[in-house]
């Protein structure tokens, strides 16, 4: 499977060797502050790791490990998955995007840079009709990342613990209309 390359990052398809990185992120309360499950047990992290491998095998896309291009250090993960439930009013097929960055790397634009490449993959390679993001309304960092990516608020819901959640989305049509023609492989030059 293809590794995506951005200016500073390598986005590798999720692999067996990424399991320890997932455990480190998922047991860090700073990372999990706005994740409805709270911190993960090692057993739960192992199950989600296997699910991530299976998602790639079944669908040909999924989580990607984010590495620094300079020294190959692990910086976080970005995810692109088939949503568990459809979002009302969003064209199908829609894909759901997410991001977890290691706290040492916060505030450097890593989530935005990695997620931009995932949007391109969603719309250009996977031909999604829309990309959605769901996050805790209190998660200001995620709200900023979605805004910088061009996703717009489309709804609100509540999480499993009754916490207010925000839903944002970008359609393929809006994605393409906002891009310069020279960067859009689908349109004649
Ligand atoms: C949310 C998260 C992915 C952002 O990662 P990041 O690499 O720091 O993101 P970026 O640097 O690309 O952008 C973050 C933006 O949010 C802003 N931000 C972050 N926390 C903020 C806060 N508490 N208040 C105001 N702005 C905040 C940053 O200033 C930046 O905006 P700017 O570029 O306009 O200055 C990271 O904090 C994280 O991994 N959190 C834990 C996991 C998580 O909650 N994931 C989302 C689950 S849906």
């Amino acid at each position: 499977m293809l590794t995506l390359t951005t200016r500073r990052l390598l986005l590798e398809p999720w692999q067996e060797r990424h399991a320890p990185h997932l455990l480190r992120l998922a047991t860090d309360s700073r990372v999990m502050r706005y994740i409805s499950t709270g911190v993960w047990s090692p057993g739960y992290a192992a199950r989600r790791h296997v699910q991530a491998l299976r998602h790639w095998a079944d669908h040909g896309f999924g989580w990607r490990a984010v590495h620094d291009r300079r020294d190959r250090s692990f910086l976080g993960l970005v995810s692109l998955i088939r949503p568990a439930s459809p979002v009302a009013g969003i064209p199908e097929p829609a894909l759901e995007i997410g991001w977890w960055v290691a706290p040492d790397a916060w505030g450097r634009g890593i989530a935005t840079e990695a997620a931009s490449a995932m949007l391109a993959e969603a719309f250009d390679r996977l031909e999604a009709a829309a990309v959605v993001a769901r996050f805790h309304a209190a998660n200001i960092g995620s709200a900023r990342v979605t805004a910088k990516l061009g996703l717009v608020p489309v709804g609100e819901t509540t999480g499993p613990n009754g916490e207010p959640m925000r839903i944002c989305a970008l359609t393929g049509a809006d994605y393409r209309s906002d891009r310069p023609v020279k960067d859009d492989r689908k349109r004649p030059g």
Side-chain angles (χ1 to χ4, degrees), residues 8 25 28-35 75-77 96-103 105-114 133-136 138-146 148 165:
R8 293 177 295 173
L25 287 179
D28 187 324
S29 57
R30 295 168 295 176
V31 175
M32 305 308 276
R33 178 172 177 195
Y34 298 117
I35 307 299
L75 298 176
L77 68 86
E96 184 156 350
I97 195 168
W99 36 71
W100 293 8
V101 172
W106 286 359
R108 290 168 39 204
I110 302 296
T112 305
E113 184 171 328
R134 300 181 227 224
F135 52 92
H136 284 202
N139 191 344
I140 297 169
S142 275
R144 250 330 268 151
V145 173
T146 54
K148 288 192 286 182
M165 306 276 298

Short mmCIF file of all heavy atoms in Angstrom, two decimals, residues 8 25 28-35 75-77 96-103 105-114 133-136 138-146 148 165, ligand 1:
data_model
loop_
_atom_site.label_atom_id
_atom_site.label_comp_id
_atom_site.label_asym_id
_atom_site.label_seq_id
_atom_site.Cartn_x
_atom_site.Cartn_y
_atom_site.Cartn_z
N ARG A 8 6.47 17.75 5.23
CA ARG A 8 7.28 17.35 6.39
C ARG A 8 7.04 15.91 6.84
O ARG A 8 7.71 15.42 7.75
CB ARG A 8 6.93 18.26 7.59
CG ARG A 8 7.33 19.68 7.42
CD ARG A 8 6.86 20.51 8.60
NE ARG A 8 5.40 20.56 8.69
CZ ARG A 8 4.73 21.10 9.69
NH1 ARG A 8 5.37 21.61 10.72
NH2 ARG A 8 3.40 21.12 9.69
N LEU A 25 -0.16 6.43 22.54
CA LEU A 25 -1.11 7.53 22.38
C LEU A 25 -2.38 7.28 23.20
O LEU A 25 -2.87 8.17 23.89
CB LEU A 25 -1.52 7.68 20.91
CG LEU A 25 -0.53 8.26 19.91
CD1 LEU A 25 -1.18 8.28 18.52
CD2 LEU A 25 -0.11 9.67 20.29
N ASP A 28 -2.40 7.91 26.96
CA ASP A 28 -1.98 9.26 27.37
C ASP A 28 -3.25 10.10 27.59
O ASP A 28 -3.99 10.37 26.64
CB ASP A 28 -1.09 9.87 26.27
CG ASP A 28 -0.48 11.20 26.69
OD1 ASP A 28 -1.15 11.97 27.41
OD2 ASP A 28 0.66 11.47 26.28
N SER A 29 -3.48 10.51 28.83
CA SER A 29 -4.73 11.21 29.14
C SER A 29 -4.84 12.55 28.41
O SER A 29 -5.94 13.05 28.19
CB SER A 29 -4.87 11.41 30.65
OG SER A 29 -3.76 12.11 31.13
N ARG A 30 -3.71 13.13 28.02
CA ARG A 30 -3.77 14.40 27.27
C ARG A 30 -4.36 14.15 25.88
O ARG A 30 -5.17 14.93 25.38
CB ARG A 30 -2.37 15.01 27.12
CG ARG A 30 -1.75 15.42 28.43
CD ARG A 30 -0.28 15.73 28.26
NE ARG A 30 0.50 14.55 27.87
CZ ARG A 30 1.80 14.55 27.57
NH1 ARG A 30 2.48 15.68 27.61
NH2 ARG A 30 2.42 13.43 27.23
N VAL A 31 -3.96 13.04 25.26
CA VAL A 31 -4.47 12.71 23.92
C VAL A 31 -5.95 12.30 24.01
O VAL A 31 -6.75 12.64 23.14
CB VAL A 31 -3.63 11.56 23.31
CG1 VAL A 31 -4.23 11.10 21.98
CG2 VAL A 31 -2.18 11.99 23.13
N MET A 32 -6.31 11.61 25.10
CA MET A 32 -7.64 11.00 25.18
C MET A 32 -8.68 11.90 25.86
O MET A 32 -9.81 11.50 26.06
CB MET A 32 -7.54 9.67 25.91
CG MET A 32 -6.53 8.71 25.29
SD MET A 32 -6.79 8.48 23.50
CE MET A 32 -8.07 7.22 23.52
N ARG A 33 -8.26 13.12 26.19
CA ARG A 33 -9.15 14.02 26.94
C ARG A 33 -10.52 14.17 26.30
O ARG A 33 -11.55 14.24 26.99
CB ARG A 33 -8.46 15.38 27.06
CG ARG A 33 -9.28 16.41 27.75
CD ARG A 33 -8.49 17.65 28.01
NE ARG A 33 -9.34 18.66 28.63
CZ ARG A 33 -9.01 19.94 28.71
NH1 ARG A 33 -7.84 20.35 28.25
NH2 ARG A 33 -9.82 20.80 29.27
N TYR A 34 -10.56 14.28 24.98
CA TYR A 34 -11.84 14.49 24.29
C TYR A 34 -12.27 13.26 23.49
O TYR A 34 -13.02 13.39 22.53
CB TYR A 34 -11.73 15.70 23.36
CG TYR A 34 -11.45 16.99 24.09
CD1 TYR A 34 -10.27 17.70 23.86
CD2 TYR A 34 -12.37 17.51 25.01
CE1 TYR A 34 -10.01 18.88 24.52
CE2 TYR A 34 -12.10 18.69 25.68
CZ TYR A 34 -10.92 19.37 25.43
OH TYR A 34 -10.68 20.54 26.10
N ILE A 35 -11.76 12.10 23.85
CA ILE A 35 -12.20 10.85 23.20
C ILE A 35 -13.19 10.19 24.16
O ILE A 35 -12.87 9.99 25.35
CB ILE A 35 -10.99 9.92 22.92
CG1 ILE A 35 -9.89 10.66 22.14
CG2 ILE A 35 -11.47 8.66 22.18
CD1 ILE A 35 -10.27 11.20 20.79
N LEU A 75 4.79 10.61 14.95
CA LEU A 75 4.18 11.85 15.43
C LEU A 75 2.70 11.69 15.76
O LEU A 75 2.13 12.53 16.46
CB LEU A 75 4.33 12.95 14.38
CG LEU A 75 5.76 13.36 14.02
CD1 LEU A 75 5.74 14.41 12.91
CD2 LEU A 75 6.49 13.90 15.24
N GLY A 76 2.06 10.65 15.23
CA GLY A 76 0.63 10.49 15.50
C GLY A 76 -0.03 9.63 14.45
O GLY A 76 0.65 8.91 13.70
N LEU A 77 -1.36 9.69 14.41
CA LEU A 77 -2.08 8.95 13.39
C LEU A 77 -3.21 9.80 12.82
O LEU A 77 -3.73 10.70 13.49
CB LEU A 77 -2.62 7.62 13.93
CG LEU A 77 -3.74 7.62 14.98
CD1 LEU A 77 -5.13 7.68 14.32
CD2 LEU A 77 -3.65 6.36 15.83
N GLU A 96 -15.19 9.16 7.07
CA GLU A 96 -14.98 9.92 8.31
C GLU A 96 -13.49 10.06 8.57
O GLU A 96 -12.74 9.09 8.49
CB GLU A 96 -15.66 9.20 9.47
CG GLU A 96 -15.56 9.98 10.77
CD GLU A 96 -16.66 9.62 11.76
OE1 GLU A 96 -17.62 8.92 11.38
OE2 GLU A 96 -16.54 10.06 12.92
N ILE A 97 -13.07 11.28 8.87
CA ILE A 97 -11.65 11.57 9.09
C ILE A 97 -11.41 11.86 10.58
O ILE A 97 -12.31 12.35 11.27
CB ILE A 97 -11.22 12.77 8.20
CG1 ILE A 97 -9.71 12.89 8.12
CG2 ILE A 97 -11.84 14.07 8.65
CD1 ILE A 97 -9.23 13.86 7.03
N GLY A 98 -10.19 11.52 11.05
CA GLY A 98 -9.85 11.80 12.44
C GLY A 98 -8.34 11.96 12.58
O GLY A 98 -7.58 11.66 11.65
N TRP A 99 -7.89 12.44 13.75
CA TRP A 99 -6.45 12.74 13.95
C TRP A 99 -6.12 12.67 15.42
O TRP A 99 -6.85 13.13 16.29
CB TRP A 99 -6.14 14.14 13.41
CG TRP A 99 -7.26 15.12 13.62
CD1 TRP A 99 -7.67 15.68 14.81
CD2 TRP A 99 -8.18 15.61 12.62
NE1 TRP A 99 -8.76 16.50 14.60
CE2 TRP A 99 -9.09 16.47 13.28
CE3 TRP A 99 -8.32 15.41 11.26
CZ2 TRP A 99 -10.13 17.13 12.62
CZ3 TRP A 99 -9.35 16.06 10.59
CH2 TRP A 99 -10.22 16.91 11.27
N TRP A 100 -4.99 12.07 15.70
CA TRP A 100 -4.39 12.05 17.05
C TRP A 100 -2.92 12.38 16.86
O TRP A 100 -2.22 11.66 16.14
CB TRP A 100 -4.46 10.68 17.71
CG TRP A 100 -5.81 10.14 18.08
CD1 TRP A 100 -7.03 10.66 17.78
CD2 TRP A 100 -6.05 8.95 18.83
NE1 TRP A 100 -8.03 9.85 18.29
CE2 TRP A 100 -7.44 8.80 18.95
CE3 TRP A 100 -5.21 8.00 19.40
CZ2 TRP A 100 -8.03 7.73 19.61
CZ3 TRP A 100 -5.79 6.93 20.07
CH2 TRP A 100 -7.19 6.81 20.19
N VAL A 101 -2.46 13.42 17.52
CA VAL A 101 -1.05 13.80 17.42
C VAL A 101 -0.41 13.67 18.81
O VAL A 101 -1.05 14.01 19.83
CB VAL A 101 -0.93 15.24 16.87
CG1 VAL A 101 0.50 15.74 16.92
CG2 VAL A 101 -1.46 15.30 15.43
N ALA A 102 0.81 13.19 18.87
CA ALA A 102 1.52 13.07 20.15
C ALA A 102 1.73 14.47 20.72
O ALA A 102 2.09 15.40 19.99
CB ALA A 102 2.86 12.38 19.92
N PRO A 103 1.48 14.65 22.02
CA PRO A 103 1.52 16.00 22.62
C PRO A 103 2.79 16.78 22.35
O PRO A 103 2.75 17.99 22.15
CB PRO A 103 1.31 15.73 24.12
CG PRO A 103 0.48 14.49 24.14
CD PRO A 103 0.97 13.64 22.99
N ALA A 105 4.29 17.08 19.77
CA ALA A 105 4.27 17.65 18.41
C ALA A 105 3.08 18.58 18.19
O ALA A 105 2.87 19.05 17.07
CB ALA A 105 4.24 16.51 17.39
N TRP A 106 2.29 18.85 19.24
CA TRP A 106 1.14 19.74 19.06
C TRP A 106 1.57 21.16 18.68
O TRP A 106 2.65 21.62 19.06
CB TRP A 106 0.32 19.82 20.36
CG TRP A 106 -0.49 18.60 20.66
CD1 TRP A 106 -0.58 17.46 19.91
CD2 TRP A 106 -1.29 18.38 21.83
NE1 TRP A 106 -1.41 16.54 20.54
CE2 TRP A 106 -1.85 17.08 21.72
CE3 TRP A 106 -1.60 19.13 22.97
CZ2 TRP A 106 -2.70 16.53 22.69
CZ3 TRP A 106 -2.44 18.58 23.94
CH2 TRP A 106 -2.99 17.30 23.79
N GLY A 107 0.68 21.82 17.95
CA GLY A 107 0.88 23.24 17.65
C GLY A 107 1.86 23.53 16.52
O GLY A 107 2.26 24.67 16.33
N ARG A 108 2.21 22.50 15.76
CA ARG A 108 3.14 22.70 14.63
C ARG A 108 2.46 22.47 13.29
O ARG A 108 3.12 22.34 12.27
CB ARG A 108 4.33 21.75 14.76
CG ARG A 108 5.27 22.09 15.91
CD ARG A 108 6.28 20.97 16.18
NE ARG A 108 6.76 20.35 14.98
CZ ARG A 108 7.27 19.11 14.90
NH1 ARG A 108 7.36 18.36 15.97
NH2 ARG A 108 7.69 18.62 13.75
N GLY A 109 1.14 22.35 13.31
CA GLY A 109 0.43 22.14 12.05
C GLY A 109 0.49 20.71 11.54
O GLY A 109 0.16 20.45 10.38
N ILE A 110 0.87 19.77 12.40
CA ILE A 110 1.02 18.39 11.96
C ILE A 110 -0.35 17.79 11.58
O ILE A 110 -0.49 17.17 10.52
CB ILE A 110 1.69 17.52 13.06
CG1 ILE A 110 3.07 18.09 13.43
CG2 ILE A 110 1.77 16.05 12.62
CD1 ILE A 110 4.09 18.07 12.33
N ALA A 111 -1.34 17.99 12.46
CA ALA A 111 -2.66 17.41 12.17
C ALA A 111 -3.21 17.97 10.86
O ALA A 111 -3.74 17.22 10.01
CB ALA A 111 -3.63 17.69 13.31
N THR A 112 -3.07 19.26 10.66
CA THR A 112 -3.62 19.89 9.46
C THR A 112 -2.90 19.39 8.21
O THR A 112 -3.54 19.07 7.20
CB THR A 112 -3.50 21.42 9.57
OG1 THR A 112 -4.14 21.83 10.80
CG2 THR A 112 -4.18 22.12 8.40
N GLU A 113 -1.58 19.30 8.29
CA GLU A 113 -0.81 18.84 7.11
C GLU A 113 -1.14 17.39 6.77
O GLU A 113 -1.35 17.04 5.60
CB GLU A 113 0.69 18.99 7.39
CG GLU A 113 1.57 18.64 6.21
CD GLU A 113 3.04 19.00 6.43
OE1 GLU A 113 3.32 20.00 7.14
OE2 GLU A 113 3.90 18.28 5.91
N ALA A 114 -1.22 16.55 7.80
CA ALA A 114 -1.53 15.13 7.56
C ALA A 114 -2.96 14.97 7.05
O ALA A 114 -3.22 14.22 6.09
CB ALA A 114 -1.33 14.32 8.84
N ALA A 133 -16.24 14.88 9.93
CA ALA A 133 -15.46 14.78 11.16
C ALA A 133 -16.42 14.99 12.33
O ALA A 133 -17.29 15.87 12.26
CB ALA A 133 -14.36 15.82 11.20
N ARG A 134 -16.31 14.15 13.35
CA ARG A 134 -17.13 14.31 14.56
C ARG A 134 -16.18 14.47 15.73
O ARG A 134 -15.25 13.68 15.88
CB ARG A 134 -17.99 13.08 14.82
CG ARG A 134 -18.96 12.74 13.71
CD ARG A 134 -19.77 11.52 14.12
NE ARG A 134 -19.80 10.59 13.00
CZ ARG A 134 -20.89 9.94 12.60
NH1 ARG A 134 -22.02 10.09 13.23
NH2 ARG A 134 -20.83 9.13 11.57
N PHE A 135 -16.41 15.46 16.57
CA PHE A 135 -15.51 15.68 17.70
C PHE A 135 -16.26 16.40 18.82
O PHE A 135 -17.29 17.03 18.59
CB PHE A 135 -14.27 16.49 17.28
CG PHE A 135 -14.60 17.77 16.56
CD1 PHE A 135 -14.73 18.96 17.25
CD2 PHE A 135 -14.80 17.78 15.18
CE1 PHE A 135 -15.04 20.13 16.60
CE2 PHE A 135 -15.11 18.96 14.51
CZ PHE A 135 -15.24 20.13 15.23
N HIS A 136 -15.72 16.27 20.05
CA HIS A 136 -16.33 16.93 21.19
C HIS A 136 -16.38 18.44 20.94
O HIS A 136 -15.38 19.03 20.49
CB HIS A 136 -15.50 16.70 22.44
CG HIS A 136 -15.67 15.33 23.02
ND1 HIS A 136 -15.38 15.03 24.33
CD2 HIS A 136 -16.09 14.17 22.46
CE1 HIS A 136 -15.61 13.75 24.56
NE2 HIS A 136 -16.04 13.20 23.44
N ALA A 138 -16.07 20.68 22.93
CA ALA A 138 -15.05 21.37 23.74
C ALA A 138 -13.65 21.25 23.14
O ALA A 138 -12.72 21.89 23.62
CB ALA A 138 -15.05 20.79 25.16
N ASN A 139 -13.49 20.45 22.11
CA ASN A 139 -12.17 20.18 21.54
C ASN A 139 -11.80 21.29 20.53
O ASN A 139 -11.98 21.15 19.32
CB ASN A 139 -12.18 18.80 20.86
CG ASN A 139 -10.79 18.33 20.47
OD1 ASN A 139 -9.85 19.12 20.41
ND2 ASN A 139 -10.68 17.04 20.19
N ILE A 140 -11.27 22.37 21.08
CA ILE A 140 -11.02 23.56 20.25
C ILE A 140 -9.95 23.29 19.19
O ILE A 140 -10.03 23.78 18.07
CB ILE A 140 -10.60 24.75 21.15
CG1 ILE A 140 -11.75 25.10 22.09
CG2 ILE A 140 -10.24 25.98 20.32
CD1 ILE A 140 -11.38 26.06 23.19
N GLY A 141 -8.95 22.48 19.54
CA GLY A 141 -7.90 22.15 18.57
C GLY A 141 -8.50 21.46 17.35
O GLY A 141 -8.18 21.81 16.20
N SER A 142 -9.40 20.49 17.57
CA SER A 142 -10.01 19.80 16.43
C SER A 142 -10.92 20.73 15.64
O SER A 142 -10.98 20.64 14.41
CB SER A 142 -10.83 18.59 16.91
OG SER A 142 -9.97 17.48 17.06
N ALA A 143 -11.61 21.62 16.33
CA ALA A 143 -12.46 22.59 15.62
C ALA A 143 -11.60 23.44 14.69
O ALA A 143 -11.96 23.72 13.54
CB ALA A 143 -13.21 23.46 16.62
N ARG A 144 -10.42 23.85 15.18
CA ARG A 144 -9.51 24.67 14.36
C ARG A 144 -9.01 23.88 13.16
O ARG A 144 -8.93 24.39 12.04
CB ARG A 144 -8.30 25.07 15.20
CG ARG A 144 -8.07 26.45 15.63
CD ARG A 144 -8.57 27.55 14.78
NE ARG A 144 -7.56 28.01 13.82
CZ ARG A 144 -7.84 28.54 12.65
NH1 ARG A 144 -9.08 28.68 12.24
NH2 ARG A 144 -6.87 28.94 11.86
N VAL A 145 -8.64 22.61 13.41
CA VAL A 145 -8.13 21.79 12.30
C VAL A 145 -9.21 21.64 11.22
O VAL A 145 -8.95 21.84 10.03
CB VAL A 145 -7.64 20.41 12.80
CG1 VAL A 145 -7.28 19.51 11.63
CG2 VAL A 145 -6.44 20.57 13.73
N THR A 146 -10.43 21.33 11.62
CA THR A 146 -11.50 21.17 10.62
C THR A 146 -11.72 22.47 9.84
O THR A 146 -11.88 22.44 8.62
CB THR A 146 -12.84 20.73 11.24
OG1 THR A 146 -13.20 21.62 12.26
CG2 THR A 146 -12.80 19.33 11.77
N LYS A 148 -9.52 24.86 9.29
CA LYS A 148 -8.38 25.11 8.38
C LYS A 148 -8.46 24.20 7.14
O LYS A 148 -7.99 24.56 6.07
CB LYS A 148 -7.06 24.88 9.12
CG LYS A 148 -6.75 25.97 10.13
CD LYS A 148 -5.31 25.91 10.65
CE LYS A 148 -5.08 24.78 11.61
NZ LYS A 148 -3.69 24.77 12.15
N MET A 165 -21.36 16.95 20.84
CA MET A 165 -20.43 16.67 19.75
C MET A 165 -20.79 17.56 18.57
O MET A 165 -21.97 17.85 18.34
CB MET A 165 -20.55 15.21 19.28
CG MET A 165 -20.42 14.15 20.34
SD MET A 165 -18.73 13.71 20.72
CE MET A 165 -18.13 13.07 19.19
C1 LIG B 1 -6.47 18.18 18.02
C2 LIG B 1 -5.05 17.82 17.62
C3 LIG B 1 -5.05 16.67 16.66
C4 LIG B 1 -4.41 19.04 16.94
O1 LIG B 1 -3.10 18.65 16.48
P1 LIG B 1 -2.02 19.73 16.02
O2 LIG B 1 -1.00 19.05 15.20
O3 LIG B 1 -1.58 20.50 17.19
O4 LIG B 1 -2.94 20.64 15.09
P2 LIG B 1 -2.52 21.88 14.18
O5 LIG B 1 -1.22 22.46 14.70
O6 LIG B 1 -2.59 21.44 12.77
O7 LIG B 1 -3.71 22.90 14.42
C5 LIG B 1 -4.21 23.11 15.74
C6 LIG B 1 -4.91 24.44 15.79
O8 LIG B 1 -5.72 24.47 16.97
C7 LIG B 1 -5.32 25.52 17.78
N1 LIG B 1 -5.54 25.09 19.17
C8 LIG B 1 -5.19 23.92 19.71
N2 LIG B 1 -5.59 23.88 21.00
C9 LIG B 1 -6.22 25.06 21.24
C10 LIG B 1 -6.85 25.61 22.36
N3 LIG B 1 -6.95 24.95 23.51
N4 LIG B 1 -7.40 26.84 22.24
C11 LIG B 1 -7.33 27.53 21.07
N5 LIG B 1 -6.74 27.04 19.96
C12 LIG B 1 -6.20 25.83 20.07
C13 LIG B 1 -3.88 25.79 17.42
O9 LIG B 1 -3.47 27.09 17.78
C14 LIG B 1 -3.95 25.60 15.91
O10 LIG B 1 -4.60 26.66 15.28
P3 LIG B 1 -3.80 27.77 14.42
O11 LIG B 1 -3.06 27.02 13.34
O12 LIG B 1 -4.85 28.68 13.92
O13 LIG B 1 -2.85 28.41 15.40
C15 LIG B 1 -4.18 17.46 18.86
O14 LIG B 1 -4.34 18.46 19.84
C16 LIG B 1 -4.53 16.12 19.44
O15 LIG B 1 -4.02 15.08 19.02
N6 LIG B 1 -5.44 16.09 20.44
C17 LIG B 1 -5.78 14.83 21.08
C18 LIG B 1 -6.52 13.89 20.17
C19 LIG B 1 -7.84 14.45 19.70
O16 LIG B 1 -8.56 15.07 20.45
N7 LIG B 1 -8.16 14.18 18.44
C20 LIG B 1 -9.39 14.55 17.86
C21 LIG B 1 -10.40 13.53 18.12
S1 LIG B 1 -11.81 13.77 17.08
#
